[in-house]
Amino acid sequence: MIALLILPLLVPFALPALARRALDRLAPVAALWTVTASAVALALCSLAALGAFVLTGLLKLPFFASLGELIRPLHTASDRFVLPLAALSVGGLAVTAWTLVRSVSRQVRAFRAARSAAAHGPAAGDLCVVDSPRPDAYALPGRPHRIVVTTAMLRNLDGSEREALFAHERAHNAGGHHYFLAAAELAAHCHPALRRVRDVVRLAVERVADEVAARVVGDRRLTARAIARAALAGQGAGAPERPAFVPGAVSGPVPRRVEALLAPGGRRAGGWIAALLVACTGVSCVASATGMADFHHRVEVAQGEAER
Amino acid sequence: MADGKDERRPAGELEASVMAALWAAGVPQTPGEVQRSLGTELARTTVTTILTRLHDKGVVDRHRQGRGYAYVPVQDAQGLTARRMHSELDRDGDRETVLARFVAQLSPDDERVLRTLLEADEQSGGR
């Protein structure tokens, strides 16, 4: 049981490398979906495993054993192994819960501030213009969806580049990219290895939006130029004050995005990468489900409700 | 010369493009200038219609220039609110009654601010 439940804690370490390759080889939309779904599944599995360890440790204590109506001791690996593991798991879960709560409250606050700032500024259609000397552009989800662009950014781009930038931001809103970013953000707080996966998801949403923008304006070169110029304009402008799940125009490694726009096609077969990702997720899910079922059975045995 | 594809885009997107062109320019723009600085191919009449609509919404200001208007975006939140109040007033036929009711419903604080403003105006204008 312990060995089975340790597996979901180890699998996430394989995910960042796989996720990066998936983004290189799959179509951006496919990569975005598979990587985000795997990250969320692996995060849930590792939380479940930690939870099972904590419960095992608790049921070893006489007080909780009587509370759980155990009539015999829970049959597990040696206490010398189980108890420290349970203590570590308690620590892990506490840290996770703390960072999750802190991150969610911080994001919600930043999001409210961004929405109210956008509501006060002049708007036309879905565009909110913020009069600011710092070039910035981002998609602000909500009802209705908005795209927020600073005056400095508008002045740095010509007419057709502005259209490409707007198409990019609209693609973020239309594609619901904030959900992917929020999911990746939450997963990153559940397991340290998933932090690097969050960066891959961030790049993936930008790539998806870049491709949509290129299709809308009908010019890959123009889209690449708009992104590059927007990025150069935004350079050294300081960290933008907006929530992490709000997709911006110049997030992610811009040179890679520009390169991908200028040299399309030549996508190598990515089927096996997708298969590996699915396999990893499957292994993790099956291991944690089996481990939990086994744990449940052991508890029932200790309660005298089931035969060994 | 207008491209049919761009003319058929949603009104909100066209408004956004025109607004962006106004902000990017930084100086008052005639519909012709806006049309030239747009990244899309729109007929000048369409640009004029959109600018008029933006003016009705109170997000751009305009003043006479030659035979037409030149447009500038409304800069600040306060100016925006003031513009919106004006367009509400313009929409109602009986402007005088609306204004009278508006003043009657002002809070004491607002009334004081208004009085101070009017007094300052009288002293400086002498009228």
Side-chain angles (χ1 to χ4, degrees), chain B residues 18-70:
Chain B
V18 168
M19 187 70 168
L22 282 185
W23 273 106
V27 289
Q29 297 277 292
T30 64
E33 287 165 336
V34 171
Q35 185 205 16
R36 276 191 296 279
S37 65
L38 280 177
T40 53
E41 310 246 312
L42 289 179
R44 204 173 130 176
T45 48
T46 313
V47 174
T48 311
T49 312
I50 297 168
L51 282 168
T52 311
R53 210 185 299 149
L54 288 175
H55 180 255
D56 290 343
K57 286 185 183 174
V59 288
V60 302
D61 255 333
R62 68 180 180 192
H63 56 258
R64 280 244 161 245
Q65 184 171 318
R67 280 180 298 155
Y69 289 104

Short mmCIF file of all heavy atoms in Angstrom, two decimals, chain B residues 18-70:
data_model
loop_
_atom_site.label_atom_id
_atom_site.label_comp_id
_atom_site.label_asym_id
_atom_site.label_seq_id
_atom_site.Cartn_x
_atom_site.Cartn_y
_atom_site.Cartn_z
N VAL B 18 -10.86 51.65 -33.74
CA VAL B 18 -10.89 53.10 -33.95
C VAL B 18 -10.39 53.83 -32.70
O VAL B 18 -9.59 54.77 -32.78
CB VAL B 18 -12.32 53.55 -34.33
CG1 VAL B 18 -12.45 55.06 -34.27
CG2 VAL B 18 -12.67 53.04 -35.72
N MET B 19 -10.84 53.35 -31.55
CA MET B 19 -10.42 53.96 -30.28
C MET B 19 -8.90 53.84 -30.12
O MET B 19 -8.24 54.80 -29.71
CB MET B 19 -11.11 53.20 -29.14
CG MET B 19 -10.91 53.82 -27.79
SD MET B 19 -11.80 55.36 -27.69
CE MET B 19 -11.68 55.64 -25.95
N ALA B 20 -8.36 52.67 -30.46
CA ALA B 20 -6.91 52.46 -30.35
C ALA B 20 -6.16 53.42 -31.26
O ALA B 20 -5.14 53.99 -30.87
CB ALA B 20 -6.58 51.01 -30.71
N ALA B 21 -6.69 53.64 -32.46
CA ALA B 21 -6.03 54.56 -33.39
C ALA B 21 -6.02 55.98 -32.82
O ALA B 21 -5.02 56.69 -32.93
CB ALA B 21 -6.74 54.53 -34.74
N LEU B 22 -7.13 56.38 -32.19
CA LEU B 22 -7.20 57.72 -31.60
C LEU B 22 -6.17 57.88 -30.49
O LEU B 22 -5.45 58.88 -30.41
CB LEU B 22 -8.59 57.98 -31.01
CG LEU B 22 -9.71 58.33 -31.98
CD1 LEU B 22 -10.97 58.65 -31.20
CD2 LEU B 22 -9.32 59.53 -32.84
N TRP B 23 -6.08 56.86 -29.61
CA TRP B 23 -5.12 56.93 -28.50
C TRP B 23 -3.70 56.92 -29.01
O TRP B 23 -2.83 57.62 -28.49
CB TRP B 23 -5.33 55.77 -27.54
CG TRP B 23 -6.35 56.04 -26.50
CD1 TRP B 23 -7.61 55.51 -26.45
CD2 TRP B 23 -6.23 56.88 -25.35
NE1 TRP B 23 -8.27 55.98 -25.35
CE2 TRP B 23 -7.46 56.82 -24.66
CE3 TRP B 23 -5.20 57.68 -24.85
CZ2 TRP B 23 -7.67 57.52 -23.48
CZ3 TRP B 23 -5.42 58.37 -23.68
CH2 TRP B 23 -6.66 58.29 -23.01
N ALA B 24 -3.44 56.10 -30.04
CA ALA B 24 -2.08 55.97 -30.55
C ALA B 24 -1.62 57.29 -31.17
O ALA B 24 -0.45 57.64 -31.08
CB ALA B 24 -2.02 54.85 -31.57
N ALA B 25 -2.56 58.02 -31.79
CA ALA B 25 -2.19 59.26 -32.47
C ALA B 25 -1.77 60.33 -31.46
O ALA B 25 -0.78 61.03 -31.67
CB ALA B 25 -3.36 59.75 -33.32
N GLY B 26 -2.54 60.49 -30.40
CA GLY B 26 -2.16 61.47 -29.38
C GLY B 26 -2.57 62.89 -29.70
O GLY B 26 -2.51 63.75 -28.86
N VAL B 27 -2.96 63.17 -30.95
CA VAL B 27 -3.46 64.49 -31.32
C VAL B 27 -4.83 64.30 -31.97
O VAL B 27 -5.13 63.21 -32.44
CB VAL B 27 -2.51 65.22 -32.30
CG1 VAL B 27 -1.25 65.65 -31.61
CG2 VAL B 27 -2.21 64.35 -33.51
N PRO B 28 -5.68 65.35 -32.01
CA PRO B 28 -7.01 65.20 -32.60
C PRO B 28 -6.93 64.66 -34.02
O PRO B 28 -6.07 65.05 -34.80
CB PRO B 28 -7.57 66.62 -32.58
CG PRO B 28 -6.87 67.28 -31.45
CD PRO B 28 -5.50 66.69 -31.41
N GLN B 29 -7.83 63.74 -34.33
CA GLN B 29 -7.80 63.05 -35.62
C GLN B 29 -9.12 63.26 -36.35
O GLN B 29 -10.19 63.15 -35.76
CB GLN B 29 -7.62 61.55 -35.40
CG GLN B 29 -6.33 61.17 -34.74
CD GLN B 29 -5.20 61.08 -35.73
OE1 GLN B 29 -5.18 60.19 -36.58
NE2 GLN B 29 -4.28 62.01 -35.64
N THR B 30 -9.04 63.52 -37.66
CA THR B 30 -10.25 63.54 -38.48
C THR B 30 -10.56 62.11 -38.90
O THR B 30 -9.67 61.25 -38.85
CB THR B 30 -10.04 64.39 -39.74
OG1 THR B 30 -9.02 63.76 -40.53
CG2 THR B 30 -9.60 65.80 -39.39
N PRO B 31 -11.81 61.83 -39.29
CA PRO B 31 -12.13 60.47 -39.72
C PRO B 31 -11.18 59.95 -40.80
O PRO B 31 -10.80 58.78 -40.79
CB PRO B 31 -13.56 60.61 -40.25
CG PRO B 31 -14.14 61.72 -39.46
CD PRO B 31 -13.00 62.68 -39.23
N GLY B 32 -10.75 60.84 -41.70
CA GLY B 32 -9.83 60.42 -42.77
C GLY B 32 -8.51 59.96 -42.20
O GLY B 32 -7.95 58.93 -42.61
N GLU B 33 -7.99 60.71 -41.23
CA GLU B 33 -6.70 60.34 -40.61
C GLU B 33 -6.83 59.02 -39.87
O GLU B 33 -5.94 58.17 -39.93
CB GLU B 33 -6.25 61.44 -39.65
CG GLU B 33 -5.74 62.68 -40.36
CD GLU B 33 -5.64 63.88 -39.43
OE1 GLU B 33 -6.34 63.94 -38.40
OE2 GLU B 33 -4.85 64.77 -39.75
N VAL B 34 -7.95 58.87 -39.16
CA VAL B 34 -8.18 57.61 -38.44
C VAL B 34 -8.20 56.46 -39.44
O VAL B 34 -7.57 55.43 -39.23
CB VAL B 34 -9.50 57.66 -37.64
CG1 VAL B 34 -9.83 56.29 -37.08
CG2 VAL B 34 -9.41 58.67 -36.52
N GLN B 35 -8.92 56.65 -40.53
CA GLN B 35 -9.04 55.59 -41.53
C GLN B 35 -7.67 55.16 -42.05
O GLN B 35 -7.39 53.98 -42.20
CB GLN B 35 -9.91 56.09 -42.68
CG GLN B 35 -10.19 55.02 -43.72
CD GLN B 35 -10.48 55.62 -45.09
OE1 GLN B 35 -10.19 56.81 -45.32
NE2 GLN B 35 -11.05 54.83 -45.96
N ARG B 36 -6.79 56.14 -42.28
CA ARG B 36 -5.46 55.82 -42.80
C ARG B 36 -4.60 55.09 -41.76
O ARG B 36 -3.77 54.27 -42.12
CB ARG B 36 -4.76 57.09 -43.28
CG ARG B 36 -5.15 57.48 -44.68
CD ARG B 36 -4.24 58.58 -45.22
NE ARG B 36 -4.37 59.82 -44.45
CZ ARG B 36 -5.35 60.70 -44.62
NH1 ARG B 36 -6.30 60.47 -45.53
NH2 ARG B 36 -5.40 61.81 -43.90
N SER B 37 -4.79 55.42 -40.47
CA SER B 37 -3.91 54.81 -39.47
C SER B 37 -4.44 53.48 -38.97
O SER B 37 -3.79 52.81 -38.18
CB SER B 37 -3.71 55.77 -38.30
OG SER B 37 -4.93 55.97 -37.64
N LEU B 38 -5.62 53.08 -39.45
CA LEU B 38 -6.16 51.78 -39.02
C LEU B 38 -5.43 50.65 -39.73
O LEU B 38 -4.97 50.81 -40.85
CB LEU B 38 -7.65 51.69 -39.37
CG LEU B 38 -8.63 52.39 -38.44
CD1 LEU B 38 -10.04 52.26 -38.99
CD2 LEU B 38 -8.54 51.81 -37.06
N GLY B 39 -5.35 49.54 -39.04
CA GLY B 39 -4.72 48.38 -39.69
C GLY B 39 -5.70 47.65 -40.57
O GLY B 39 -5.33 46.76 -41.33
N THR B 40 -6.97 48.03 -40.50
CA THR B 40 -7.98 47.33 -41.29
C THR B 40 -8.49 48.24 -42.39
O THR B 40 -8.31 49.46 -42.33
CB THR B 40 -9.17 46.95 -40.40
OG1 THR B 40 -9.61 48.11 -39.73
CG2 THR B 40 -8.76 45.90 -39.39
N GLU B 41 -9.10 47.65 -43.38
CA GLU B 41 -9.61 48.44 -44.48
C GLU B 41 -11.07 48.73 -44.25
O GLU B 41 -11.92 47.88 -44.46
CB GLU B 41 -9.44 47.65 -45.78
CG GLU B 41 -8.04 47.11 -45.96
CD GLU B 41 -7.35 47.75 -47.13
OE1 GLU B 41 -7.98 47.81 -48.20
OE2 GLU B 41 -6.20 48.19 -46.97
N LEU B 42 -11.35 49.93 -43.80
CA LEU B 42 -12.73 50.33 -43.57
C LEU B 42 -13.04 51.53 -44.44
O LEU B 42 -12.17 52.37 -44.69
CB LEU B 42 -12.94 50.73 -42.10
CG LEU B 42 -12.91 49.63 -41.05
CD1 LEU B 42 -13.10 50.24 -39.68
CD2 LEU B 42 -13.98 48.60 -41.33
N ALA B 43 -14.30 51.62 -44.88
CA ALA B 43 -14.72 52.80 -45.65
C ALA B 43 -14.74 53.99 -44.70
O ALA B 43 -14.97 53.84 -43.51
CB ALA B 43 -16.10 52.57 -46.23
N ARG B 44 -14.50 55.18 -45.28
CA ARG B 44 -14.46 56.36 -44.44
C ARG B 44 -15.80 56.62 -43.78
O ARG B 44 -15.86 57.07 -42.62
CB ARG B 44 -14.07 57.57 -45.29
CG ARG B 44 -13.47 58.63 -44.42
CD ARG B 44 -12.93 59.75 -45.20
NE ARG B 44 -13.45 61.00 -44.63
CZ ARG B 44 -13.10 62.18 -45.05
NH1 ARG B 44 -12.27 62.28 -46.07
NH2 ARG B 44 -13.58 63.25 -44.49
N THR B 45 -16.89 56.31 -44.49
CA THR B 45 -18.21 56.51 -43.88
C THR B 45 -18.36 55.63 -42.65
O THR B 45 -18.92 56.05 -41.64
CB THR B 45 -19.33 56.16 -44.89
OG1 THR B 45 -19.01 54.89 -45.47
CG2 THR B 45 -19.45 57.20 -45.95
N THR B 46 -17.84 54.40 -42.72
CA THR B 46 -17.92 53.49 -41.58
C THR B 46 -17.16 54.07 -40.40
O THR B 46 -17.64 54.08 -39.26
CB THR B 46 -17.34 52.12 -41.94
OG1 THR B 46 -17.86 51.72 -43.20
CG2 THR B 46 -17.67 51.09 -40.89
N VAL B 47 -15.94 54.59 -40.69
CA VAL B 47 -15.14 55.18 -39.62
C VAL B 47 -15.89 56.35 -38.99
O VAL B 47 -15.94 56.48 -37.76
CB VAL B 47 -13.76 55.63 -40.17
CG1 VAL B 47 -12.98 56.37 -39.09
CG2 VAL B 47 -12.97 54.44 -40.67
N THR B 48 -16.51 57.18 -39.83
CA THR B 48 -17.27 58.33 -39.31
C THR B 48 -18.41 57.86 -38.42
O THR B 48 -18.64 58.41 -37.34
CB THR B 48 -17.82 59.17 -40.48
OG1 THR B 48 -16.76 59.41 -41.40
CG2 THR B 48 -18.38 60.49 -39.99
N THR B 49 -19.13 56.83 -38.88
CA THR B 49 -20.23 56.29 -38.08
C THR B 49 -19.73 55.82 -36.72
O THR B 49 -20.33 56.12 -35.68
CB THR B 49 -20.88 55.10 -38.82
OG1 THR B 49 -21.11 55.48 -40.16
CG2 THR B 49 -22.18 54.70 -38.14
N ILE B 50 -18.61 55.08 -36.72
CA ILE B 50 -18.09 54.55 -35.47
C ILE B 50 -17.68 55.69 -34.54
O ILE B 50 -17.96 55.67 -33.34
CB ILE B 50 -16.89 53.61 -35.73
CG1 ILE B 50 -17.35 52.40 -36.54
CG2 ILE B 50 -16.27 53.15 -34.43
CD1 ILE B 50 -16.22 51.58 -37.08
N LEU B 51 -17.02 56.71 -35.11
CA LEU B 51 -16.59 57.84 -34.28
C LEU B 51 -17.80 58.55 -33.68
O LEU B 51 -17.77 58.93 -32.50
CB LEU B 51 -15.78 58.82 -35.14
CG LEU B 51 -14.33 58.40 -35.39
CD1 LEU B 51 -13.69 59.26 -36.46
CD2 LEU B 51 -13.52 58.47 -34.10
N THR B 52 -18.86 58.69 -34.47
CA THR B 52 -20.08 59.33 -33.95
C THR B 52 -20.65 58.50 -32.80
O THR B 52 -21.06 59.04 -31.77
CB THR B 52 -21.12 59.45 -35.07
OG1 THR B 52 -20.50 60.02 -36.21
CG2 THR B 52 -22.29 60.32 -34.63
N ARG B 53 -20.65 57.18 -32.99
CA ARG B 53 -21.18 56.30 -31.94
C ARG B 53 -20.35 56.43 -30.66
O ARG B 53 -20.88 56.51 -29.55
CB ARG B 53 -21.15 54.86 -32.44
CG ARG B 53 -22.26 54.01 -31.82
CD ARG B 53 -22.12 52.56 -32.24
NE ARG B 53 -22.20 52.36 -33.68
CZ ARG B 53 -21.55 51.38 -34.32
NH1 ARG B 53 -20.76 50.57 -33.66
NH2 ARG B 53 -21.69 51.23 -35.62
N LEU B 54 -19.00 56.46 -30.81
CA LEU B 54 -18.13 56.61 -29.65
C LEU B 54 -18.39 57.94 -28.96
O LEU B 54 -18.36 58.04 -27.73
CB LEU B 54 -16.65 56.51 -30.07
CG LEU B 54 -16.17 55.12 -30.46
CD1 LEU B 54 -14.73 55.18 -30.99
CD2 LEU B 54 -16.24 54.17 -29.28
N HIS B 55 -18.66 58.98 -29.77
CA HIS B 55 -18.94 60.29 -29.19
C HIS B 55 -20.25 60.25 -28.41
O HIS B 55 -20.35 60.81 -27.32
CB HIS B 55 -19.00 61.34 -30.30
CG HIS B 55 -19.29 62.71 -29.78
ND1 HIS B 55 -20.52 63.31 -29.92
CD2 HIS B 55 -18.52 63.58 -29.09
CE1 HIS B 55 -20.50 64.49 -29.34
NE2 HIS B 55 -19.29 64.69 -28.83
N ASP B 56 -21.26 59.55 -28.96
CA ASP B 56 -22.55 59.43 -28.26
C ASP B 56 -22.36 58.71 -26.93
O ASP B 56 -23.02 59.02 -25.94
CB ASP B 56 -23.55 58.65 -29.12
CG ASP B 56 -23.98 59.46 -30.32
OD1 ASP B 56 -23.76 60.69 -30.29
OD2 ASP B 56 -24.51 58.88 -31.28
N LYS B 57 -21.46 57.74 -26.91
CA LYS B 57 -21.22 57.00 -25.66
C LYS B 57 -20.41 57.82 -24.67
O LYS B 57 -20.26 57.42 -23.51
CB LYS B 57 -20.44 55.72 -25.95
CG LYS B 57 -21.28 54.65 -26.60
CD LYS B 57 -20.48 53.38 -26.75
CE LYS B 57 -21.30 52.32 -27.47
NZ LYS B 57 -20.47 51.14 -27.75
N GLY B 58 -19.83 58.91 -25.14
CA GLY B 58 -19.09 59.79 -24.24
C GLY B 58 -17.65 59.40 -24.01
O GLY B 58 -17.02 59.89 -23.08
N VAL B 59 -17.08 58.52 -24.84
CA VAL B 59 -15.69 58.15 -24.61
C VAL B 59 -14.73 58.97 -25.49
O VAL B 59 -13.52 58.92 -25.28
CB VAL B 59 -15.42 56.64 -24.81
CG1 VAL B 59 -16.03 55.85 -23.68
CG2 VAL B 59 -15.92 56.15 -26.14
N VAL B 60 -15.26 59.70 -26.48
CA VAL B 60 -14.40 60.62 -27.23
C VAL B 60 -15.03 62.01 -27.26
O VAL B 60 -16.25 62.15 -27.17
CB VAL B 60 -14.12 60.14 -28.68
CG1 VAL B 60 -13.49 58.77 -28.69
CG2 VAL B 60 -15.37 60.16 -29.53
N ASP B 61 -14.16 63.00 -27.36
CA ASP B 61 -14.59 64.38 -27.51
C ASP B 61 -14.36 64.79 -28.96
O ASP B 61 -13.51 64.19 -29.63
CB ASP B 61 -13.76 65.29 -26.59
CG ASP B 61 -14.57 65.72 -25.40
OD1 ASP B 61 -15.80 65.77 -25.53
OD2 ASP B 61 -13.96 66.01 -24.34
N ARG B 62 -15.09 65.80 -29.43
CA ARG B 62 -14.82 66.28 -30.79
C ARG B 62 -14.96 67.78 -30.85
O ARG B 62 -15.65 68.39 -30.04
CB ARG B 62 -15.76 65.61 -31.78
CG ARG B 62 -17.20 66.02 -31.62
CD ARG B 62 -18.05 65.32 -32.64
NE ARG B 62 -19.44 65.71 -32.50
CZ ARG B 62 -20.44 65.10 -33.09
NH1 ARG B 62 -20.21 64.04 -33.85
NH2 ARG B 62 -21.68 65.52 -32.94
N HIS B 63 -14.26 68.37 -31.80
CA HIS B 63 -14.49 69.78 -32.05
C HIS B 63 -14.43 70.01 -33.55
O HIS B 63 -13.84 69.22 -34.29
CB HIS B 63 -13.47 70.65 -31.30
CG HIS B 63 -12.04 70.30 -31.62
ND1 HIS B 63 -11.25 69.56 -30.77
CD2 HIS B 63 -11.29 70.57 -32.71
CE1 HIS B 63 -10.07 69.40 -31.32
NE2 HIS B 63 -10.06 69.99 -32.50
N ARG B 64 -15.05 71.10 -33.99
CA ARG B 64 -15.12 71.41 -35.42
C ARG B 64 -13.73 71.61 -35.99
O ARG B 64 -12.87 72.23 -35.40
CB ARG B 64 -15.93 72.70 -35.63
CG ARG B 64 -17.40 72.49 -35.60
CD ARG B 64 -18.04 72.82 -36.97
NE ARG B 64 -19.36 72.19 -37.04
CZ ARG B 64 -19.68 71.23 -37.89
NH1 ARG B 64 -18.78 70.78 -38.75
NH2 ARG B 64 -20.86 70.71 -37.90
N GLN B 65 -13.52 71.02 -37.14
CA GLN B 65 -12.27 71.27 -37.86
C GLN B 65 -12.61 71.23 -39.33
O GLN B 65 -12.98 70.17 -39.86
CB GLN B 65 -11.22 70.22 -37.50
CG GLN B 65 -9.88 70.49 -38.14
CD GLN B 65 -8.80 69.57 -37.60
OE1 GLN B 65 -8.72 69.30 -36.40
NE2 GLN B 65 -7.98 69.06 -38.49
N GLY B 66 -12.54 72.38 -40.00
CA GLY B 66 -12.93 72.44 -41.42
C GLY B 66 -14.40 72.13 -41.55
O GLY B 66 -15.24 72.67 -40.82
N ARG B 67 -14.71 71.22 -42.48
CA ARG B 67 -16.12 70.92 -42.70
C ARG B 67 -16.62 69.79 -41.79
O ARG B 67 -17.78 69.50 -41.74
CB ARG B 67 -16.34 70.52 -44.17
CG ARG B 67 -16.42 71.75 -45.08
CD ARG B 67 -16.64 71.32 -46.50
NE ARG B 67 -15.52 70.51 -47.00
CZ ARG B 67 -15.63 69.65 -47.98
NH1 ARG B 67 -16.79 69.42 -48.55
NH2 ARG B 67 -14.56 68.98 -48.39
N GLY B 68 -15.69 69.14 -41.09
CA GLY B 68 -16.12 68.02 -40.25
C GLY B 68 -15.66 68.20 -38.81
O GLY B 68 -15.54 69.31 -38.32
N TYR B 69 -15.41 67.10 -38.16
CA TYR B 69 -14.97 67.12 -36.76
C TYR B 69 -13.60 66.47 -36.64
O TYR B 69 -13.24 65.60 -37.43
CB TYR B 69 -15.94 66.32 -35.88
CG TYR B 69 -17.28 66.97 -35.67
CD1 TYR B 69 -18.40 66.52 -36.36
CD2 TYR B 69 -17.42 68.03 -34.78
CE1 TYR B 69 -19.63 67.10 -36.15
CE2 TYR B 69 -18.66 68.62 -34.57
CZ TYR B 69 -19.76 68.15 -35.26
OH TYR B 69 -20.97 68.72 -35.05
N ALA B 70 -12.87 66.90 -35.61
CA ALA B 70 -11.67 66.16 -35.22
C ALA B 70 -11.95 65.55 -33.85
O ALA B 70 -12.59 66.18 -33.01
CB ALA B 70 -10.47 67.09 -35.15
#
